[in-house]
Amino acid sequence: MARNIQSLERAAAMLRLLAGGERRLGLSDIASSLGLAKGTAHGILRTLQQEGFVEQDETSGRYQLGAELLRLGTTYLDVHELRARALVWTDDLARSSGESVYLGVLHQQGVLIVHHVFRPDDSRQVLEIGAMQPLHSTALGKVLSAYDPVAHSEAIEADRKAFTDRTICELDAFEQVLDLTRARGYAADVEETWEGVASIAAPIHDRRRMPVGAVGITGAVERLCRDGELRPELIAAVRDCARAVSRDLGAGRF
């Protein structure tokens, strides 16, 4: 019978320890609780910290569960389930808005499009399921960066490329955009990624109120905007769609 790997067993025990009881624990507490030498405990914690599974408070030096572990905890929600729950609502959004609808999730430092509903007209369109969009300039990406701590870290650490002269690349300005996104519950992209194109997106949450994706519409600026501002009825429609999908995932009312 194959033997268990001791270092993995100890790492798993540390994560269970940090998941229960006090929110943050010091190195001595962790080592004592698990019967480990401080040097051994510190080495495992350092590895877990490098992988994002554990975070260390800069002031107290205590450890807590990291954002990447929270991300892995949401994997019970399969992308196919998210797409299935969103099918009816995204179809309704496309009909009511007259625009293309996209459903996106965080993947490899970007936004992966997992569902795309064509604009309901006779124009020639290309299916974009599987396409990747940037986090810092698109409406879907801004929503994920605002609500998902892993996406936020990836967005601020990435090279924020300027796609147009409207792209917000400077860190402080980008953080202000994310604050605004959280305050109003949606994100916008008006010619920040593609000339002549605008987008509106809102977050989707699961039953634990964790962000699991974003839904949005994309279309020509002249259709999504009126007098230089995004049309409020389109913003409301996108937010209603996101709330409806979230409710179907068990998130309740937002």
Side-chain angles (χ1 to χ4, degrees), residues 54-131:
V54 164
E55 295 175 355
Q56 186 178 29
D57 181 74
E58 293 183 0
T59 302
S60 67
R62 290 174 173 265
Y63 294 89
Q64 64 182 19
L65 294 181
E68 181 61 20
L69 192 64
L70 298 177
R71 158 65 53 184
L72 292 179
T74 67
T75 56
Y76 80 94
L77 179 65
D78 190 272
V79 166
H80 296 299
E81 180 184 354
L82 172 61
R83 181 177 178 274
R85 297 285 186 177
L87 284 176
V88 172
W89 301 111
T90 51
D91 284 348
D92 286 347
L93 178 59
R95 282 193 295 269
S96 66
S97 67
E99 301 296 342
S100 300
V101 177
Y102 295 88
L103 183 68
V105 298
L106 177 66
H107 180 68
Q108 295 181 350
Q109 295 80 52
V111 183
L112 174 67
I113 303 302
V114 297
H115 184 52
H116 174 198
V117 183
F118 283 162
R119 185 171 64 254
D121 59 21
D122 296 328
S123 62
R124 188 172 181 272
Q125 300 173 62
V126 177
L127 188 65
E128 295 190 38
I129 293 175

Side-chain angles (χ1 to χ4, degrees), residues 3-55:
R3 297 174 59 186
N4 293 339
I5 300 174
Q6 189 179 53
S7 59
L8 293 180
E9 290 181 331
R10 289 172 171 173
M14 283 185 184
L15 294 175
R16 292 192 187 99
L17 180 64
L18 291 170
E22 294 183 33
R23 177 174 172 80
R24 294 180 178 143
L25 293 172
L27 174 60
S28 297
D29 299 324
I30 294 171
S32 176
S33 297
L34 299 179
L36 299 174
K38 281 188 178 181
T40 300
H42 184 256
I44 296 172
L45 284 167
R46 187 172 63 249
T47 300
L48 291 172
Q49 185 178 1
Q50 289 172 348
E51 295 299 322
F53 296 145
V54 164
E55 295 175 355

Side-chain angles (χ1 to χ4, degrees), residues 53-254:
F53 296 145
V54 164
E55 295 175 355
Q56 186 178 29
D57 181 74
E58 293 183 0
T59 302
S60 67
R62 290 174 173 265
Y63 294 89
Q64 64 182 19
L65 294 181
E68 181 61 20
L69 192 64
L70 298 177
R71 158 65 53 184
L72 292 179
T74 67
T75 56
Y76 80 94
L77 179 65
D78 190 272
V79 166
H80 296 299
E81 180 184 354
L82 172 61
R83 181 177 178 274
R85 297 285 186 177
L87 284 176
V88 172
W89 301 111
T90 51
D91 284 348
D92 286 347
L93 178 59
R95 282 193 295 269
S96 66
S97 67
E99 301 296 342
S100 300
V101 177
Y102 295 88
L103 183 68
V105 298
L106 177 66
H107 180 68
Q108 295 181 350
Q109 295 80 52
V111 183
L112 174 67
I113 303 302
V114 297
H115 184 52
H116 174 198
V117 183
F118 283 162
R119 185 171 64 254
D121 59 21
D122 296 328
S123 62
R124 188 172 181 272
Q125 300 173 62
V126 177
L127 188 65
E128 295 190 38
I129 293 175
M132 294 290 293
Q133 294 186 1
L135 285 171
H136 70 285
S137 64
T138 62
L140 292 171
K142 291 176 191 177
V143 164
L144 293 175
S145 299
Y147 288 90
D148 185 323
V150 177
H152 178 260
S153 296
E154 292 178 350
I156 64 175
E157 292 172 4
D159 178 19
R160 291 177 295 280
K161 177 182 176 181
F163 298 104
T164 73
D165 59 5
R166 292 174 176 261
T167 308
I168 297 173
C169 302
E170 199 275 328
L171 181 56
D172 287 344
F174 180 64
E175 290 283 20
Q176 290 175 12
V177 168
L178 299 187
D179 288 341
L180 180 60
T181 297
R182 286 184 287 265
R184 62 189 185 182
Y186 72 92
D189 164 12
V190 180
E191 297 189 282
E192 293 181 46
T193 311
W194 303 282
E195 296 283 356
V197 176
S199 300
I200 305 167
I204 296 172
H205 297 80
D206 66 8
R207 63 182 179 182
R208 294 179 295 174
R209 301 289 180 98
M210 293 291 291
V212 293
V215 63
I217 61 172
T218 297
V221 171
E222 58 266 25
R223 294 197 304 268
L224 266 64
C225 296
R226 182 188 299 127
D227 298 326
E229 300 290 337
L230 289 167
R231 291 164 54 192
E233 67 271 21
L234 294 180
I235 295 171
V238 171
R239 296 192 65 197
D240 286 346
C241 177
R243 283 192 289 259
V245 178
S246 297
R247 285 196 299 270
D248 275 4
L249 292 172
R253 295 185 62 85
F254 272 83

